[in-house]
Amino acid sequence: MRKALQHLVVATAIALAGTAAATAGEVNLYTSNSEDSVAMVLDKVREEAPDITINVIAGSSGTLLRRIEAEKANNVADLFWSSGFSTLAEFSDLFEKYDSPQVDNLLPALQAKDDLWTGTNTHVMVLMINEDVLEGAAPETWQDIMNESWKGKVTMADPANSSSAYAQLYGIYTLYGEEGVRKLADVVSLQGSTSGAYRSVAQGEFAVGMTMEYAAQRYVAGGQNEIRLVYPSDGTFLSPEGLTLIKNAPHPDDARRVYDLLLSKDLQAGLVGLTFRRPSRADLDEALQSSGLPLMNDIRIIDIDQGKAAAERDMLLDLWTKARG
Amino acid sequence: MNRFLPWGLLSGVALAFLLLFIAYPILGVLLRSFLGENGTFSLEGFAIFLTQGRYLEAFFNSIVLGLSVTASCTVVGVFLAFIVARFEIPFSNVVFLLPLSVLIIPELISAQSWIMVFGNNGLVTNLLHELGLPFPRFYGWFGLIYVMTLTYYVHIFLAALAALRGFDHSLEEAGQSLGTAPLRTHIKVVLPTIVPAVLSAGLVVFTLVVGNFAISIALGQRVPLLSVLTYRSFISELGGNPTMQSTLATVSILLVVSVLSVQRWYISRRDYQMVAGRTPLRARLAGWKARIAGGFAGLVIVLSLLPAFVVLVGSVTVSRGPVMYWGQFTLDNYVRIFDFNLNVVFNSLRFASLATLLGVSFATLVSYLLVKKRNALSSTLDYLLLLPLTISGTVLGIALAQGFNSGPLVLTGTAAIMVLAMMLRRLPFGVRNASSNLHNISGSLEEASVSLGVPPVRTFFNVVLPLMAPGIAAAAILTWVTTVAELSASVVIYQAGQETLPIQIFRLINSDLMARASAFGVIDMIIILVPVFLGIRVMKVRLFSS
């Protein structure tokens, strides 16, 4: 019991230290990014803007956005970094527009000039191949895996639970219509969560998985030689992620400085080497090559209207559920 | 007179607390499962449950899994209890560490370590792969049954051991002197006497399996299970359907309640009274029999303790992203925690110590009220304390989150609700531990003190509390251990910045970063181990007496 009390005292002291009154030169960053990415940002800020202290609140994007919503009356957050555009759209009443001078250096698809956020990176949907369990030739297109012969060998996350899997499904729907969705539904095995798809391919349960570029590339870079990425030649889809300034931010000016830094060339180059998430800037060919990712020009991209994708969600998921039977 | 005042008032306070934080949220879940999208009465949730293949399939999968694991636990547990009770095997003392191993190694870590051993990228799998031998797919039924058996057999082992120890040896001798061969005697005489104990432990195992979240989600990727669907309905990346959340939660509550009523009915029907007999001597075994019995016991011990070792090795193994380089060592995983994640360790310590403090104080008070100061409210209290047993952690989390997200008392997103969830899950066990000595404390001691002029409340502190101390200490240690390892309720309600060790481990396993998850796992086990070790060694607390 005395031990518990001691813990309590220590823990309370720490908790109190953490909530010290905010002073000038502070920015509260709410982030869903991994802590090594955050550490890189902190180093960059220390270098470029030594007068700013960053307080990090980390969590999954859903819980963070709900927390920002809960704190609306007495807002603490300055910046939120980062979540998919469609998720951000659902919470858009929490954000404030900021036109960063860096926006002109970004890929057009990620500039989001009419939105309340700016693209920081983008997911690219790929086919992740495990050569160890692959029989015959690897698929080259989305159409290839819709063939009956792939039944039980291809997996994806459940589009009802996973936003990236929904982006994949919507892409297939754009390319091949209802017929394509039905064919895919007949062949593909579903995983409960986003991570299930790439994990099960990495572990050799499936030969092919529909997943995000960065998730698959981590295994390649880690040295798992049997893993390879295929960018389907019938065109693939982007699922961009963005950074945003929070409305009524307690430190708006400093937050804008950090906003610009998050879009800066050095930092984005460093982050792609660390996380393999494709940066939003258009001038990072060298960094992309050294992290093993193909250049944007070498990938065929199908344009997807994110707003339309969100609007047609219920209809498409309904179609999907029926097709799955 | 003031006979009623302190205790009657406290009973009322305890009752109000349980009504507010247990009855109200659970009732809310039950009611909401009958509400449609627009807030009117509808059976839509149950209609979807019964017509959409996935839900019903998950329901039956959960039942089948519960039955399979209960059966395999019974085989392992009874067999091991039999060997330990009847024969002298070389390391029988180590066997008594087994129940502890289950306490010390949280099930999430156990599941994670077995994935590192038998998963498709696992140590053994790769080894066999090198030798050209196929290994059965670990994810799915095989892995689920295997890991859950190793997690839960201890319940049956302890029950069977207690029954066998209390078994009167002269019955068996009588059987043998009447000419039945020893083996048939065992089957005809010994087995029926341990059946009630094993069966009620088996039902406990069944409810634990049905409500299990950590192992189910780690290994049940391809097998839809009720607990995982319930969780996913609540934590969908794209917002879930509240009706469906409540419906799934209601179904799992009903399932457990029906199992528990079967158990109560069964126990009330059968009652073997053992006259205190002679405990049988433990036979010395020799030759092949000894090797088989000792080998089996040894294997179970090794398998129970192996996860801790695997996680320890994993935590100092070099990894690049998700790829592990076994055989190359580093302390990086710990350095990272020290640099970035100390707050996670402090969160765990803070929530667990608060939950333990609150839970044990409450359990001590309530057990005293229930045993020594029965009044009109006591039977209601008894029933309310059973409620947490009928719901899995996931359901409790959902009930609290839905029950306190609006209205006069908003707790969703606060640290208070995390502490509450952790405390409530353990409350029934805490009360059981705390009251373990109370029945033996004579009321005349108290009366003597009161009649000498010491007020009742001070008498409680001066006379009763010291006598209750061993039970309270056991309750405190067990509450601490389970709250530090708590995942299923807290993962539903935590907010950013409130991550505990198990939540962090869960998130890292999800990103397939096993080496980093292992480092957190080791820290979690150390935090669990320290009080257990102190309690057993220094304070001589008996954790498994009840």
Side-chain angles (χ1 to χ4, degrees):
Chain A
M1 196 48 68
R2 181 166 305 161
K3 194 177 160 57
L5 276 174
Q6 278 169 357
H7 281 314
L8 206 61
V9 170
V10 171
T12 325
I14 285 159
L16 287 175
T19 54
T23 58
E26 278 197 42
V27 169
N28 299 328
L29 174 68
Y30 282 40
T31 179
S32 56
N33 286 266
S34 63
E35 69 257 337
D36 42 3
S37 327
V38 176
M40 193 174 265
V41 172
L42 296 186
D43 287 347
K44 187 75 197 163
V45 171
R46 203 170 302 144
E47 199 179 306
E48 303 279 329
D51 57 309
I52 298 179
T53 323
I54 296 209
N55 306 316
V56 178
I57 303 287
S60 67
S61 49
T63 52
L64 284 171
L65 288 163
R66 277 200 294 273
R67 173 164 169 179
I68 295 171
E69 191 164 48
E71 292 169 347
K72 206 158 49 171
N74 187 6
N75 186 34
V76 183
D78 288 304
L79 291 174
F80 172 74
W81 172 60
S82 56
S83 182
F85 284 10
S86 49
T87 310
L88 291 173
E90 286 176 44
F91 291 89
S92 52
D93 58 333
L94 302 175
F95 311 139
E96 192 170 315
K97 189 159 174 52
Y98 168 51
D99 296 317
S100 169
Q102 295 280 14
V103 167
D104 295 331
N105 301 322
L106 308 187
L107 296 162
L110 284 124
Q111 291 178 347
K113 283 191 169 171
D114 307 333
D115 294 311
L116 300 173
W117 49 83
T118 308
T120 47
N121 63 284
T122 180
H123 293 309
V124 181
M125 300 309 163
V126 298
L127 290 170
M128 176 176 173
I129 313 282
N130 187 327
E131 300 277 8
D132 272 357
V133 285
L134 183 73
E135 296 153 5
E140 294 299 327
T141 61
W142 298 114
Q143 203 162 3
D144 283 352
I145 57 165
M146 295 180 197
N147 190 310
E148 279 295 311
S149 62
W150 284 99
K151 202 167 185 148
K153 298 171 189 166
V154 180
T155 187
M156 75 184 291
D158 184 346
N161 285 332
S162 156
S163 47
S164 60
Y166 177 72
Q168 290 152 16
L169 181 68
Y170 192 80
I172 298 280
Y173 175 68
T174 311
L175 278 173
Y176 298 110
E178 290 193 14
E179 192 51 32
V181 171
R182 279 198 199 91
K183 277 186 176 164
L184 181 70
D186 284 339
V187 174
V188 79
S189 307
L190 287 191
Q191 300 289 334
S193 62
T194 309
S195 62
Y198 56 77
R199 280 167 64 193
S200 58
V201 176
Q203 291 160 345
E205 290 212 37
F206 291 92
V208 179
M210 296 163 64
T211 184
M212 293 169 283
E213 171 185 50
Y214 91 93
Q217 186 66 25
R218 290 185 314 156
Y219 292 92
V220 177
Q224 208 169 316
N225 301 327
E226 69 272 23
I227 302 294
R228 151 171 111 73
L229 277 63
V230 167
Y231 294 80
S233 55
D234 44 355
T236 185
F237 335 109
L238 300 181
S239 181
E241 297 203 308
L243 151 81
T244 174
L245 184 68
I246 307 298
K247 202 184 279 178
N248 305 327
H251 319 93
D253 300 342
D254 286 334
R256 288 191 176 90
R257 285 166 64 200
V258 176
Y259 198 107
D260 296 344
L261 275 175
L262 279 166
L263 298 171
S264 66
K265 189 169 177 175
D266 275 4
L267 185 62
Q268 287 227 341
L271 285 173
V272 65
L274 190 67
T275 62
F276 309 108
R277 292 176 188 226
R278 189 170 286 272
S280 58
R281 287 183 73 97
D283 53 3
L284 291 175
D285 288 4
E286 260 173 58
L288 276 172
Q289 272 163 332
S290 65
S291 63
L293 297 172
L295 301 181
M296 212 58 166
N297 297 337
D298 301 337
I299 308 171
R300 185 165 166 215
I301 304 286
I302 303 291
D303 236 357
I304 300 280
D305 179 346
Q306 299 291 338
K308 204 160 155 243
E312 293 180 345
R313 182 165 176 262
D314 287 349
M315 179 280 297
L316 185 54
L317 284 181
D318 201 44
L319 179 74
W320 173 253
T321 312
K322 287 200 174 78
R324 291 286 299 177
Chain B
M1 214 341 250
N2 78 353
R3 276 211 67 114
F4 178 77
L5 243 187
W7 308 123
L9 188 70
L10 284 170
S11 293
V13 170
L15 190 67
F17 180 89
L18 291 178
L19 281 173
L20 178 62
F21 291 115
I22 296 179
Y24 160 71
I26 295 180
L27 204 64
V29 166
L30 294 176
L31 288 176
R32 269 187 296 272
S33 61
F34 293 102
L35 291 181
E37 297 277 334
N38 48 9
T40 52
F41 176 84
S42 101
L43 288 170
E44 179 203 14
F46 291 93
I48 292 176
F49 180 86
L50 292 172
T51 51
Q52 284 198 1
R54 218 161 48 121
Y55 293 115
L56 214 54
E57 188 193 350
F59 178 73
F60 286 119
N61 278 346
S62 287
I63 292 180
V64 170
L65 182 69
L67 292 173
S68 321
V69 173
T70 308
S72 57
C73 282
T74 307
V75 172
V76 174
V78 170
F79 195 56
L80 188 68
F82 201 78
I83 291 172
V84 172
R86 290 309 177 78
F87 304 115
E88 287 194 15
I89 50 172
F91 32 72
S92 58
N93 288 338
V94 184
V95 173
F96 297 104
L97 286 177
L98 287 179
L100 272 183
S101 76
V102 173
L103 275 187
I104 291 161
I105 307 172
E107 50 191 36
L108 175 70
I109 292 174
S110 168
Q112 177 207 344
S113 69
W114 287 116
I115 291 176
M116 292 202 283
V117 174
F118 288 137
N120 291 345
N121 226 345
L123 286 164
V124 171
T125 324
N126 286 347
L127 203 69
L128 290 174
H129 191 76
E130 299 286 308
L131 302 171
L133 299 168
F135 186 80
R137 184 194 299 282
F138 191 66
Y139 301 85
W141 290 104
F142 171 64
L144 285 169
I145 294 175
Y146 175 87
V147 176
M148 287 192 186
T149 303
L150 276 177
T151 308
Y152 294 133
Y153 78 91
V154 167
H155 293 270
I156 299 198
F157 167 68
L158 286 175
L161 191 64
L164 280 169
R165 291 228 158 128
F167 175 76
D168 189 348
H169 190 48
S170 43
L171 279 178
E172 210 175 343
E173 284 173 350
Q176 284 177 19
S177 63
L178 291 170
T180 42
L183 184 68
R184 285 197 45 207
T185 310
H186 280 320
I187 292 172
K188 292 185 80 124
V189 179
V190 181
L191 269 186
T193 58
I194 65 167
V195 161
V198 168
L199 208 76
S200 59
L203 286 168
V204 170
V205 170
F206 181 87
T207 56
L208 286 170
V209 171
V210 170
N212 177 286
F213 168 74
I215 301 173
S216 303
I217 202 159
L219 289 164
Q221 284 282 1
R222 309 163 66 96
V223 183
L225 290 169
L226 195 58
S227 59
V228 176
L229 277 190
T230 311
Y231 167 76
R232 290 212 198 287
S233 72
F234 199 73
I235 306 284
S236 155
E237 285 174 33
L238 311 142
N241 170 351
T243 311
M244 215 55 230
Q245 291 160 12
S246 308
T247 307
L248 288 171
T250 301
V251 170
S252 45
I253 293 174
L254 293 177
L255 181 62
V256 175
V257 167
S258 50
V259 170
L260 286 176
S261 7
V262 168
Q263 183 192 13
R264 302 218 125 198
W265 168 80
Y266 177 84
I267 288 177
S268 67
R269 260 191 65 237
R270 313 186 57 149
D271 194 6
Y272 276 89
Q273 281 294 339
M274 272 290 161
V275 187
R278 296 179 297 128
T279 312
L281 289 170
R282 284 156 71 187
R284 282 196 165 280
L285 275 182
W288 62 270
K289 280 186 182 169
R291 275 197 283 278
I292 288 182
F296 175 80
L299 183 70
V300 175
I301 293 166
V302 168
L303 291 182
S304 299
L305 297 174
L306 193 70
F309 179 72
V310 172
V311 169
L312 189 63
V313 174
S315 73
V316 290
T317 293
V318 175
S319 70
R320 300 198 0 229
V323 185
M324 297 194 69
Y325 289 81
W326 293 101
Q328 301 179 32
F329 298 104
T330 175
L331 284 176
D332 273 359
N333 301 315
Y334 291 100
V335 172
R336 290 182 65 110
I337 294 178
F338 194 80
D339 287 347
F340 302 123
N341 300 113
L342 276 181
N343 63 319
V344 174
V345 181
F346 288 123
N347 279 344
S348 260
L349 291 173
R350 188 174 52 189
F351 293 144
S353 40
L354 276 171
T356 306
L357 196 68
L358 274 171
V360 173
S361 316
F362 192 80
T364 305
L365 173 70
V366 169
S367 58
Y368 176 73
L369 293 175
L370 288 179
V371 177
K372 293 287 177 196
K373 304 283 172 200
R374 305 284 306 177
N375 57 31
L377 304 177
S378 297
S379 56
T380 320
L381 268 178
D382 276 328
Y383 277 106
L384 282 177
L385 276 171
L386 286 176
L387 275 181
L389 295 175
T390 65
I391 53 174
S392 61
T394 316
V395 175
L396 177 68
I398 290 174
L400 289 172
Q402 288 182 341
F404 295 107
N405 62 2
S406 59
L409 185 59
V410 177
L411 293 174
T412 306
T414 61
I417 203 166
M418 294 282 280
V419 173
L420 260 175
M422 290 177 175
M423 166 197 162
L424 291 173
R425 283 203 71 190
R426 292 304 303 172
L427 209 51
F429 303 96
V431 171
R432 202 176 298 168
N433 289 119
S435 50
S436 60
N437 306 45
L438 262 181
H439 296 281
N440 310 333
I441 301 172
S442 152
S444 54
L445 277 175
E446 261 179 286
E447 283 160 23
S449 168
V450 173
S451 65
L452 290 170
V454 184
V457 177
R458 193 167 348 141
T459 297
F460 170 78
F461 279 103
N462 289 352
V463 177
V464 185
L465 209 55
L467 293 170
M468 286 175 76
I472 295 174
I477 291 174
L478 287 172
T479 309
W480 171 264
V481 164
T482 44
T483 48
V484 174
E486 211 291 322
L487 173 73
S488 54
S490 49
V491 79
V492 177
I493 50 182
Y494 83 98
Q495 287 275 355
Q498 295 179 338
E499 293 85 356
T500 61
L501 285 161
I503 292 174
Q504 192 74 5
I505 294 167
F506 176 70
R507 289 177 57 190
L508 287 167
I509 291 177
N510 258 337
S511 320
D512 216 359
L513 298 169
M514 288 296 190
R516 289 174 48 200
S518 299
F520 281 103
V522 170
I523 292 178
D524 202 27
M525 287 194 287
I526 290 172
I527 292 177
I528 290 173
L529 195 60
V530 167
V532 172
F533 182 80
L534 288 178
I536 291 175
R537 272 299 158 94
V538 182
M539 290 153 42
K540 303 275 185 273
V541 176
R542 296 201 45 199
L543 288 182
F544 302 102
S545 52
S546 51

